[in-house]
Amino acid sequence: MIGSVRRLAAVIGLLAVSAVADAQPLPSWNDGPAKQAIVDFVAKVTTEDSPDFLAPQDRIAVFDNDGTLWPENPLPFQLMFALDELRRLAPDHPQWKQNPVIQAALDGDVAVLKKDLKKSLSEILKETHAGTTVDEFDQRVRDWLSTARHPRFDRPYNGLTYLPMQEVLAYLREHGFRTYIVSGGGKDFMRVWAEDTYGIPPEQVIGSMGPLQFEIRDGVPVLARQAGIDFIDDKEGKPVAIHRSIGRRPVAAFGNSDGDLAMLQWTTMTRSPSFGLIVHHTDPEREYAYDRDPASSGKLVTALEQSEQQGWVVVDMKRDWKTVFETTAASDGDMSLDATNWIAEDIGGRGVVDIAQSTLSFDQPNHVTGNTAVNRFSGPAKIDGRSLQLGPLATTRRAGPPALMDQENRFLKALSAVRSYRFDGQRKLLLLDEQGQVLVKLAQLDR
Amino acid sequence: MIGSVRRLAAVIGLLAVSAVADAQPLPSWNDGPAKQAIVDFVAKVTTEDSPDFLAPQDRIAVFDNDGTLWPENPLPFQLMFALDELRRLAPDHPQWKQNPVIQAALDGDVAVLKKDLKKSLSEILKETHAGTTVDEFDQRVRDWLSTARHPRFDRPYNGLTYLPMQEVLAYLREHGFRTYIVSGGGKDFMRVWAEDTYGIPPEQVIGSMGPLQFEIRDGVPVLARQAGIDFIDDKEGKPVAIHRSIGRRPVAAFGNSDGDLAMLQWTTMTRSPSFGLIVHHTDPEREYAYDRDPASSGKLVTALEQSEQQGWVVVDMKRDWKTVFETTAASDGDMSLDATNWIAEDIGGRGVVDIAQSTLSFDQPNHVTGNTAVNRFSGPAKIDGRSLQLGPLATTRRAGPPALMDQENRFLKALSAVRSYRFDGQRKLLLLDEQGQVLVKLAQLDR
């Protein structure tokens, strides 16, 4: 019973995970009106008894992707993918020499493509991918991402997301928001990496779509991509796609161009509480600078003009962002587990329940605490260089719903098998077993 | 400290809510192979360490609506709505006399409409609703539902859902599944009532769609319905819509007609574990009997022929279903709170967090226990006829994430204000305050 009393004292005495989560929100943002506006909005809609309190199901935030969550220069990244695919496949398609857009693309004549970026992309995708199944297309995107590197920054494309916006995504989700991508980019292109890169699952990725056809090929049901475009998720298409996909009106919208104007209007006009934000690209040193006359996509005129009247926050990238991109893996050597806090994103390749928080905190030297999703736990941590052993861990013994108990079992089992760890550079921690296989993937919490 | 020890003992000693949830699953199903197949499938994909275990994010189940979750006779209910709207609006539209389909509809000449049900519906919806905003359309559906009654069963249409299928929906969700509607019916028509009626939120309702246009009318942003059909979510369209909306392949599909064939194939062919089920209408006494030659929609030939080879479960409605429809409110007088268990669906009009289970059990005479979402509670219940008072309630004191603590606060506050209750006939319990206003809406759990 004494042991039980101790555990109870631990349950009651420990600060709740959440209670300290907001101590230092949005660390990659400089203090200023933009950061303050985000924090104030989240506070007022999540404070019980606030007149602006929103129920969890109404906390919906929509994000443009190109130019809002990652760059769109020198060309939108999906077009970079399409061009790389074209070059990869060209030897098998001599007839492409007859097609002026395709030939321009193969010649690297970007000026021709830029005359109509969307049409060029559509034409190239038709030639490269019509007839492939959605699974085959998925694999091609995956292969490309694992090898292609951005020409200026020399990093994988999905290693170039804006750290301040990643923090906004995480901050909103920690406060019960669901975050959606609403992009002119292809839905199937983005879904391949959106969950790993942004923590946004496939059903919350909204984008442009080409026609698909259901077929049974040799006894196997497939969805085959057809030539053409069914729906362009841009400009006035964005509110339509939001309505069709979500069926509720968002309360927060984040964009960077006139392509996001209708989405910002739909989210905020004659609607309170609501929040609109425009990322203004003002930083040629660290990223790019453009608005009225962009070198790639991202023309921003009308939305900027309307921003003051509509109360939209305009982010001055150069002034408001302390850091633009996530730190690279190169700085791994400087990182330590001391006083860090983590939340599990995946356990044993089987994911985690959306709202269940399995956490791990290196709260004191050689000691961890955390939450299994149902119970608190704590115990010793033996850290030596990159080797790590956890436990034995003492836990409270509350029972919960089956899905959460599943997760608790998997989490505790995985933690007991940990023998080493590594960072992956994007504020992610990987816990590895004896064979160096990933047991648990965690994301760093800001506190 | 003694109080603390008692509370701890309570935490450890109480059976988990979930542990008893499966004692009597699917009570409206007769024992037999259909019921057993559902239970076996759920067990094998949710049992940790089973080779067929599925992570929560892969537990996706799709349901046709017309003929699978509710009837489709004498006509699909959405067409009944459209006809009622036509009659309501006819006095203001003398020009409708020139339109043969519209005139047939007004004359009640159903034979003309049945020549092409989808075209008739589209034509009528165009005349009645083109130009209305999605909000106006929503209100019209709501108004209709609150007054219209089914001609044979004399009940509101959404009071005619199949109780055995409601139990399947709830059973799957209790085991971590997400349930989607994938119907040929209109997405915007179904979303109005799907959450209240089935517990399926708008973003999980997939259906046919007409074109929408974003406009700003007198300074107010609206989505206006346009004439025509953009997408018919039927037959080969169903796998396409599933892919676009969910981005993952379901593992369980429920249908009743050849319109569901492609969805069943996409879900189950060359895919294990997976589950397909067809509701065969064999009960003219309690509902309807049809397959090859239906009086309304719902032709079932090919899917039935393929069912054995594909391993799809065929439900014989007459044999397999103990009850077809939910009990009506008329039987309220016979119901009591004794030994009933409930889960909150809404607290104070602000909803509940999806996975958080706020529960209430009348476990002993004049006593309740439950879960706030974070903590267990228990205390006295004073029941006298329809008057009810709860508390003072003792709770454990674990802290949780902010969204769940919000919910706990709201739930406990609401329970302390309860002065009476009523059933609403669909296995729902409403807890009311001094003024008779609804504080909490709960759904009955099967145990």
Side-chain angles (χ1 to χ4, degrees), chain A residues 55 178 191 203 244 355, chain B residues 178 191 203 244 350 355:
Chain A
R178 268 175 298 163
R191 279 173 165 173
E203 66 272 20
R244 287 177 166 179
I355 202 173
Chain B
R178 268 175 299 163
R191 279 173 165 173
E203 66 272 20
R244 287 177 166 180
R350 289 176 161 183
I355 203 174

Side-chain angles (χ1 to χ4, degrees), chain B residues 15-49:
Chain B
L15 262 180
V17 171
S18 52
V20 292
D22 292 354
Q24 295 293 339
L26 309 179
S28 298
W29 290 70
N30 288 316
D31 289 333
K35 174 177 177 173
Q36 196 59 46
I38 298 168
V39 172
D40 289 348
F41 173 74
V42 169
K44 80 176 176 183
V45 301
T46 59
T47 302
E48 179 74 12
D49 297 328

Side-chain angles (χ1 to χ4, degrees), chain A residues 406-418:
Chain A
D406 277 358
Q407 183 161 322
E408 167 169 305
N409 291 337
R410 292 191 290 130
F411 192 51
L412 290 175
K413 205 162 147 185
L415 293 184
S416 71
V418 171

